[in-house]
Amino acid sequence: MPETYTQPRFAYVRSPDQSAATPVRHSVIVVGAGPVGLAAAMDLALHGIPAVVLDDDDTVSVGSRAICYAKRTLEILDRLGCGQPVCDRGVSWNVGKVFFQDRLVYSFNLLPEEGHRRPAFVNLQQYHFEDILVARARELAVIDLRWRSKVVDVKRHADRVELQIHTPDGGYALACDWLIVADGARSPVRHALGLESKGQVFRDHFLIADVIMKAEFPAERWFWFDPPFHRNQSTLLHRQADNVWRIDFQLGRDADPEEEKKPERVIPRIRAMLGDDRPFELEWVSVYTFQCRRMERFRHGRVIFAGDAAHQVSPFGARGANSGIQDTDNLVWKLALVLAGRAPEQLLDTYDAERVRAADENLLNSTRSTDFITPKTPMDRVFRDATLELAHTHPFARRLVNSGRLSVPATLRTSALNTADAPTARFTGPMIPGAPAADAPLRSGEKDAWLLDGLGGGFDLLLFAPGDNFVAPDAADLAALGRDSIPVRVTIVVPHGRGALRAPAGCRVFEDVAGFAEKRYDGRPGSVYLLRPDQHVCARWRRFDAAAVRRAVRRATCTDSADDVRVAA
Amino acid sequence: MSGLITEPNLGAPDDFYEALIAMHQGLDEARSAKVNAKLILLLANHVGDLGVLREAMRLAREGA
């Protein structure tokens, strides 16, 4: 067991639901109190929707699994109210280095520009990460966390889902309008429903050793191909919190997992890597293989799958937990609108469409990384080594080296919720419809602020100030958007030094102190962006037009045809 | 069309062929394989166009 960490035990508390004569019905039940289930419950809570969270265990992750949390995840957690403690507790990093045999091949910076609140990645042991999420979930009083509550049966009906739950007090039944399934890669709920996650099984074994040591290595991701201390295999080193370092050794196909886990096998491998002089202690050891697979669909009526339960990738690229949290970011605002009767159920099918596509992008990237790291034939190996040798001296080959394409959020290019740019708009840069909004440092009065901090949860209109004054009817039209049934909050960005601009009632004004917002959004005066509650761009124009904004909101919520609106039960 | 040139395009074909064979002189099979791989990667980057490269790969694979 870990030396630097004591596993918490969360008390099982009997719920009044267990004494009810008939199954109590809830709006939303979440299965799984891991990072994905907790993120879903927190997001629902911020929409005022109480969720019951069922977890079969009474603690956080045993041992460290996920360790790298990507910038986008940190931004989502900022919106959920726990990004800062994750950053404070973890180790921030931006730089990766790739070694081949005994030489550095190249290094890369995943965030080579200023003006972002969050780094490319924060490394943190999964148990610390979950601790922080559980603490935040407990602050949000509407979340009903039920430990030692194992879902043993699930029945789908047209108007509800019924669950059988096993607890230390025996069984009870619950019903819900919507079930979010975030119970991990093995997903007992998926099995109970007879649904499959299909894909590719990889045969290579990998050894994880988390070691405690004092080391002066910088907080960077170091990846070795065929190093002298571990010939013909790869090794990955990451720094985590509390002087714990993650070492991940590729073991090959024929390794015996039980043998490889023994300290007398593990310690010599680490000695060979670190040298004989460096004292270290073993914190955690495990041997894993992995699969790259997904469910065909993530929405099955009122049962919606997220995270590893829905899709599973190799660990190279940190695309597991990160994509799971993006799933909930995508899902929860849609579910909240459906539950409020403001959008039809078909909006939930766009969760399926958008996140299946994102999962395919993650699967493709993670499969390609795996193929590079674990060549399957002698010729694969020849090309791999040739690429690495060329990369020493030739920049082009560095782009081919694939030690993991690290998690970046999916750009929802093909989403039906996007409104296409007018051809005359001629926007440049990456903030196309479907893109996750880029951050920028701003100022509000005397206070520093971040753009993303002010966005999300509901629809946002980002307006780059068209001039010194807003004249009616624009000012009145802007203010009126906030009173729509699906309200749009207005944020006005003004150039540096123009912070005194008088904003229309109900609109916020931020100064673009360093010009990053204008640059990142191609925000010449008058430009307008419409952002979804998950901070993805869904429409943009060169000038404000309230009718166009409302059409785009209807499109982004599947409410553009009145016939389609069926108010959910 | 992919744009892959299959009509004669080498200015001095015999010189090229001689240089290609010379590149492998004195190498064992494993080293030759790696040198070939490097040559392919260097040329692929020079060509740049994925459509052309895919067409060349398709032709190379034909009958294999």
Side-chain angles (χ1 to χ4, degrees):
Chain A
M1 290 304 284
E3 298 262 330
T4 62
Y5 184 70
T6 309
Q7 205 79 25
R9 293 289 160 197
F10 303 124
Y12 160 75
V13 179
R14 189 182 165 88
S15 160
D17 290 358
Q18 291 169 250
S19 313
T22 54
V24 175
R25 183 162 177 167
H26 296 269
S27 295
V28 184
I29 294 177
V30 178
V31 187
V36 178
L38 289 169
M42 291 190 285
D43 212 345
L44 285 162
L46 295 178
H47 281 93
I49 300 164
V52 174
V53 182
L54 303 171
D55 196 276
D56 61 355
D57 206 354
D58 63 352
T59 188
V60 293
S61 170
V62 175
S64 188
R65 293 179 290 171
I67 60 164
C68 301
Y69 298 96
K71 183 172 188 290
R72 181 65 197 147
T73 297
L74 300 170
E75 290 164 354
I76 294 168
L77 294 179
D78 280 333
R79 189 170 62 71
L80 300 179
C82 55
Q84 195 57 46
V86 168
C87 294
D88 291 344
R89 190 75 181 85
V91 176
S92 296
W93 64 274
N94 294 310
V95 171
K97 286 190 175 138
V98 175
F99 302 84
F100 179 45
Q101 295 170 348
D102 55 355
R103 284 196 288 173
L104 173 68
V105 178
Y106 76 109
S107 72
F108 53 87
N109 188 338
L110 295 167
L111 191 60
E113 52 177 39
E114 297 291 304
H116 292 272
R117 181 182 190 187
R118 296 306 180 199
F121 279 92
V122 163
N123 285 357
L124 185 60
Q125 294 92 317
Q126 185 170 341
Y127 37 81
H128 291 316
F129 185 81
E130 287 184 19
D131 266 344
I132 291 168
L133 267 58
V134 169
R136 175 63 181 144
R138 285 180 159 167
E139 282 174 15
L140 299 166
V142 297
I143 299 176
D144 183 351
L145 274 170
R146 299 187 189 176
W147 306 102
R148 299 182 73 185
S149 300
K150 185 177 171 58
V151 176
V152 291
D153 196 27
V154 187
K155 286 217 164 50
R156 292 164 45 199
H157 300 276
D159 65 334
R160 69 191 188 285
V161 183
E162 286 178 350
L163 303 175
Q164 282 295 326
I165 295 142
H166 186 80
T167 75
D169 279 342
Y172 72 108
L174 283 177
C176 58
D177 299 342
W178 300 97
L179 184 71
I180 298 177
V181 183
D183 57 352
R186 292 188 192 90
S187 187
V189 170
R190 191 180 68 223
H191 283 286
L193 290 169
L195 298 168
E196 282 185 289
S197 180
K198 285 197 247 179
Q200 201 177 348
V201 179
F202 289 83
R203 287 162 53 208
D204 269 77
H205 289 83
F206 291 82
L207 169 73
I208 283 177
D210 279 0
V211 304
I212 312 164
M213 65 173 175
K214 294 242 186 298
E216 66 290 353
F217 313 135
E220 297 173 348
R221 177 189 195 261
W222 287 5
F223 194 102
W224 287 263
F225 290 98
D226 190 17
F229 55 82
H230 192 50
R231 292 314 305 264
N232 292 312
Q233 307 283 5
S234 67
T235 304
L236 175 62
L237 178 71
H238 270 292
R239 180 175 199 155
Q240 306 176 72
D242 303 329
N243 292 316
V244 174
W245 297 75
R246 158 68 51 88
I247 309 173
D248 192 324
F249 293 105
Q250 180 190 3
L251 296 176
R253 296 179 178 203
D254 304 323
D256 176 344
E258 289 312 309
E259 278 301 304
E260 294 294 348
K261 262 188 266 191
K262 293 180 177 164
E264 61 265 33
R265 296 277 297 170
V266 177
I267 288 168
R269 291 194 190 283
I270 299 172
R271 280 257 163 276
M273 177 178 177
L274 301 174
D276 291 331
D277 308 334
R278 190 180 297 278
F280 68 87
E281 279 177 82
L282 277 182
E283 169 90 344
W284 173 257
V285 174
S286 69
V287 172
Y288 68 91
T289 57
F290 53 80
Q291 307 189 31
C292 288
R293 57 177 184 165
R294 71 163 168 87
M295 298 177 73
E296 196 182 330
R297 286 181 292 127
F298 299 167
R299 180 185 175 208
H300 290 261
R302 294 177 169 274
V303 180
I304 301 167
F305 291 83
D308 281 0
H311 46 76
Q312 217 185 329
V313 293
S314 83
F316 306 107
R319 288 168 180 267
N322 287 306
S323 67
I325 287 172
Q326 286 169 54
D327 287 344
T328 67
D329 190 42
N330 186 294
L331 171 63
V332 169
W333 67 270
K334 296 173 180 174
L335 189 54
L337 283 172
V338 171
L339 275 165
R342 296 206 171 105
E345 273 183 36
Q346 77 191 72
L347 182 57
L348 298 174
D349 290 330
T350 69
Y351 163 75
D352 194 271
E354 291 178 348
R355 294 310 297 168
V356 163
R357 189 172 265 270
D360 282 343
E361 187 176 308
N362 287 318
L363 283 161
L364 180 66
N365 276 291
S366 115
T367 304
R368 285 173 169 176
S369 301
T370 306
D371 287 342
F372 195 88
I373 292 164
T374 61
K376 280 175 194 51
T377 69
M379 191 48 73
D380 291 359
R381 174 73 188 259
V382 167
F383 271 108
R384 204 278 303 272
D385 289 354
T387 303
L388 286 163
E389 280 183 23
L390 288 170
H392 276 302
T393 38
H394 303 294
F396 88 88
R398 290 168 201 162
R399 299 283 298 272
L400 299 174
V401 172
N402 191 342
S403 72
R405 297 279 181 246
L406 286 136
S407 176
V408 286
T411 292
L412 311 169
R413 253 181 216 91
T414 59
S415 172
L417 304 185
N418 294 339
T419 297
D421 286 347
T424 51
R426 294 206 175 80
F427 280 99
T428 58
M431 287 297 107
I432 61 171
D439 208 357
L442 302 175
R443 191 172 295 154
S444 168
E446 293 304 304
K447 276 179 67 185
D448 288 332
W450 292 98
L451 176 58
L452 290 185
D453 237 2
L455 303 176
F459 279 87
D460 283 291
L461 197 75
L462 187 63
L463 172 61
F464 290 85
D468 282 331
N469 281 298
F470 292 95
V471 289
D474 274 8
D477 281 349
L478 282 169
L481 289 173
R483 298 189 293 271
D484 285 0
S485 72
I486 297 175
V488 179
R489 183 173 53 174
V490 178
T491 299
I492 299 168
V493 175
V494 300
H496 185 37
R498 296 249 312 277
L501 178 134
R502 182 133 37 92
C507 303
R508 300 171 305 170
V509 175
F510 290 101
E511 246 183 287
D512 189 11
V513 275
F516 281 114
E518 196 217 317
K519 193 166 137 225
R520 287 180 184 152
Y521 287 80
D522 181 17
R524 71 176 195 241
S527 301
V528 187
Y529 279 75
L530 180 66
L531 299 143
R532 313 184 338 177
D534 56 12
Q535 300 176 333
H536 281 257
V537 175
C538 61
R540 55 184 180 172
W541 304 269
R542 283 303 185 186
R543 58 177 291 275
F544 171 66
D545 171 357
V549 172
R550 289 196 170 95
R551 273 197 303 276
V553 170
R554 286 198 297 274
R555 187 173 177 84
T557 51
C558 297
T559 53
D560 38 4
S561 156
D563 295 342
D564 292 338
V565 181
R566 281 172 290 128
V567 174
Chain B
M1 284 313 289
S2 75
L4 178 73
I5 300 166
T6 54
E7 295 302 314
N9 191 42
L10 290 161
D14 291 343
D15 291 351
F16 160 72
Y17 200 83
E18 183 190 355
L20 184 66
I21 299 305
M23 180 183 78
H24 286 286
Q25 207 157 38
L27 298 180
D28 61 20
E29 214 168 311
R31 282 170 207 275
S32 271
K34 194 185 283 180
V35 169
N36 270 343
K38 286 184 176 175
L39 182 68
I40 290 168
L41 293 167
L42 285 159
L43 293 176
N45 183 62
H46 183 85
V47 171
D49 183 328
L50 185 59
V52 172
L53 293 167
R54 282 192 199 279
E55 178 65 4
M57 285 188 246
R58 191 185 65 78
L59 293 180
R61 168 96 195 192
E62 249 178 22

